[in-house]
Amino acid sequence: MNLHNLYGLKNMKKILFSLFILLFNASFSQKIQDFTVASPNGKIKISIVIDSKITWSVAHEKDLILAPSAVSLTLDQNEVLGKNATLLNSKREKVNQTFESPFYKKSSVKNQYNLLILNFKNDFSIEYRAFDDGVAYRFITKKKKDITVKAEEVSLNFDQDYNTLMPYVRDLRNPKDPYISSFEAQYENKKISEFSKDTLAFLPFLIDFKNHKKAVFLEANLEDYPGLFVTNSKSKSGFEARFSKYPLQETNGGFNNINRLITERADYLVKTKGSRTFPWRAIVISENDAELANNDMVQKLSEPTKIKDISWIKPGKVAWDWWNDWNIYNIDFKAGINTQTYKYYIDFASKNKVEYVVLDEGWSLEDDIMKHNPNVDLEALITYGKERNVGIILWSSWMALTKNTAGIFKNYADLGIKGFKVDFLDRDDAKMVNSVYDIAEKAADYKLLLDFHGMYKPTGIQRTFPNILNFEGVKGLENNKWTPNDDVPLYDCSIPFIRMMAGPMDYTPGAMRNATKSEFKPSHSNPVSQGTRSHQLALYTIFEAPLQMMADSPTIYMKEQESTDFIAKIPTVFDETVALDGEVGKFVSIARKKANIWYLGAITNWDSRGITIDFSFLEKGKKFQAEIFSDGFNADKAAQDYKREIITVDSTSKLTYRLASGGGLAMIIK
């Protein structure tokens, strides 16, 4: 080989080596990429790393809220969106808007955030939003053909072993399938590492960080997809998501054989459209607990209403029969599920300006609601109620209603029924979620209101279909009839900061028979509440429920007319909300405004405490008259003891009240 050829060969090797280095660096730089998006106020920052996996982490100032956590979607053909992903481009946007929000705790919602969308090869994107009060992300696919979602990876990792308030699944009706659940559970205060083994928990749940900061984990815009549960991660430093697989075979079972139990599930979550958005995974972050009691994250992340005309939707209170066991007396007929009893309820509702009466289970056959109980003359009751400006709402199991949803709705809408209380859904797989949307749309077609009882937590459909006025998914007052070991005042002082962030709650307050901690006993026909009378009155302002039940007997309410008059004056939707003070599990105080009148509620757990109300939320320079129900001097022994007074206050007023054990404070200020 001559020197010229040797030199050329060496030079070629240098060129090839240089090209290799350039290609290696290019591929490396393409493989690992970092992005950040900060909240408008700069306090919250999302950090995204694109490597062999896509991870995100969240910081609030100097505190790490979420350690790097992987996200992905697994589709059919083993396609994993998020594994070795190739980024095509990114898009940023600043959004600052306000939208109207009817039938809510405020008339309008401010929606300000910074947005980052990462677009990847294989027709998918991930959208991130950073708000001043939290963060959220969601997957977006743009496939031309339908897809099958086999799994979703949602990992939640933390840098320390923080305390949690976690609602575990404890429903034993079908222990082989933990995804069958009533979604009712008290919160267990445990460290992340102490998460109960082989157990699932549902959302929302809370993490308690240092520096008084807390975070609540939520999902929003759940449509055509199963709900998210969490279980402990293998490293015990966080949680992993679990989802119920799509049902293939079902059978009747459960309570009175009116549940649908799953006997066979598919190996996938859902078969769905290839071009769609997926549910939001959201974290709300607070620097003080009161902020959590007035949060709009789910509302902000949900689809706007699909109902063009909402003028027929009328929120209000409901006289309810089931909790008080139809226990009316001092009458000349046999009380029970019959026409005379319901006329009594209608008379009570009319006299006290209560908008609705619900006919709970028993008015029809449980498995066929087109067949009536012969003791209930439904058409006569509808007419009787209409003459007295009281609407009728009917209870139905989900199973019975879905045998012919449109036909049932048309039949009863034509008769003059105002809505349905749908019970025993007890699942949130994709099939059930789709059914909820179908029921909501058909109900809207026939101008019917909905109250979903026996239901998973709300995820924003209440904004999309505002004819849905309430959801259960909460361990409400009805449980007082059979769960004596529940710490109800503790729970009452926890859910405004956790469960209520997801949406309204069919908690069903209003007990006029009240008990101290030592005196409380369950009762079926004469049920009582844990805590004081003023505690119950305060719940009508604190607990969000556009369709709010009055759980006790009309006979008892008429004996306690002073309390009944007060409840009747409290609206169920508001124009403005101010969270005054609170500490998760200990106490909370909230003020809400409707027109020119303020309504205030405060409650405590079993610890008696002093609470100071700062009236600076009132308009300056004006005097206001406050009607106040506070715990009586002897409420620690006689929980029904209260004091009613009328005083004058203004924006400079600061008043201190003593809340009894399990006590409360309620005001109407005008």
Side-chain angles (χ1 to χ4, degrees), residues 190-239:
K190 294 182 177 180
K191 290 187 176 295
I192 293 170
S193 62
E194 295 172 339
F195 190 102
S196 298
K197 186 179 179 182
D198 298 325
T199 304
L200 296 174
F202 54 88
L203 307 184
F205 66 87
L206 180 144
I207 303 285
D208 189 354
F209 296 91
K210 55 188 177 182
N211 301 330
H212 304 289
K213 294 179 183 179
K214 292 183 174 67
V216 174
F217 293 76
L218 300 146
E219 63 179 335
N221 211 36
L222 179 66
E223 183 176 1
D224 194 22
Y225 205 78
L228 190 155
F229 293 79
V230 295
T231 190
N232 53 322
S233 64
K234 295 176 182 177
S235 65
K236 294 188 176 181
S237 63
F239 308 110

Side-chain angles (χ1 to χ4, degrees), residues 166-178:
M166 190 72 67
Y168 290 97
V169 174
R170 293 294 190 215
D171 196 328
L172 300 177
R173 283 175 297 175
N174 190 1
K176 293 182 180 179
D177 191 340

Side-chain angles (χ1 to χ4, degrees), residues 449-653:
L449 307 176
L450 289 171
D451 172 13
F452 279 111
H453 210 65
M455 168 73 173
Y456 59 87
K457 81 284 180 186
T459 57
I461 190 176
Q462 64 273 19
R463 182 183 174 203
T464 312
F465 286 97
N467 58 319
I468 306 176
L469 293 179
N470 220 347
F471 304 81
E472 195 178 18
V474 66
K475 198 164 191 181
L477 190 72
E478 67 176 60
N479 288 274
N480 279 20
K481 294 178 74 162
W482 54 68
T483 54
N485 296 323
D486 282 353
D487 188 334
V488 176
L490 170 67
Y491 186 62
D492 289 351
C493 292
S494 301
I495 50 180
F497 307 97
I498 308 174
R499 161 61 182 85
M500 200 164 73
M501 291 180 60
M505 310 184 301
D506 195 14
Y507 181 97
T508 68
M512 294 292 101
R513 289 165 288 208
N514 318 106
T516 62
K517 187 175 184 178
S518 61
E519 295 294 321
F520 173 78
K521 294 178 182 178
S523 173
H524 181 72
S525 296
N526 293 283
V528 300
S529 71
Q530 294 186 28
T532 69
R533 169 69 57 78
S534 294
H535 185 110
Q536 287 293 305
L537 299 184
L539 297 183
Y540 281 90
T541 294
I542 295 172
F543 288 172
E544 297 166 24
L547 196 67
Q548 181 64 282
M549 301 290 167
M550 294 177 66
D552 221 324
S553 162
T555 305
I556 299 295
Y557 280 127
M558 288 186 284
K559 285 189 171 186
E560 300 287 349
Q561 195 63 49
E562 196 169 56
S563 295
T564 303
D565 289 343
F566 186 84
I567 292 171
K569 287 185 283 190
I570 302 174
T572 62
V573 294
F574 300 88
D575 299 326
E576 186 178 347
T577 288
V578 179
L580 300 175
D581 200 1
E583 190 172 345
V584 177
K586 295 185 177 180
F587 74 100
V588 64
S589 57
I590 296 175
R592 306 190 195 273
K593 186 181 182 183
K594 182 68 174 177
N596 296 316
I597 303 176
W598 283 92
Y599 305 85
L600 186 148
I603 56 173
T604 183
N605 57 14
W606 283 125
D607 296 329
S608 175
R609 71 181 70 244
I611 185 170
T612 299
I613 302 298
D614 183 341
F615 290 86
S616 58
F617 58 88
L618 296 175
E619 187 178 347
K620 291 179 174 58
K622 288 189 176 183
K623 297 290 184 181
F624 293 81
Q625 183 186 83
E627 179 184 6
I628 302 172
F629 280 70
S630 57
D631 292 323
F633 289 107
N634 299 296
D636 287 313
K637 287 186 176 180
Q640 288 164 239
D641 187 30
Y642 67 87
K643 178 183 178 182
R644 178 182 179 271
E645 57 183 330
I646 296 177
I647 65 171
T648 300
V649 295
D650 60 32
S651 62
T652 67
S653 300

Side-chain angles (χ1 to χ4, degrees), residues 41 241 257 312 314 322-323 339 344 415 484 491 510 530 539 551 575:
N41 64 10
N257 213 39
W312 57 271
K314 306 293 184 185
W322 182 89
W323 191 72
T339 304
Y344 183 97
L415 287 178
Y491 186 62
Q530 294 186 28
L539 297 183
D575 299 326

Side-chain angles (χ1 to χ4, degrees), residues 75-101:
L75 308 184
D76 44 347
Q77 308 302 319
N78 293 320
E79 181 182 6
V80 182
L81 307 182
K83 181 179 180 181
N84 298 320
T86 300
L87 181 70
L88 298 178
N89 54 62
S90 62
K91 175 187 175 183
R92 294 181 182 272
E93 187 177 345
K94 294 184 177 181
V95 176
N96 188 359
Q97 59 183 208
T98 300
F99 60 83
E100 297 302 308
S101 190

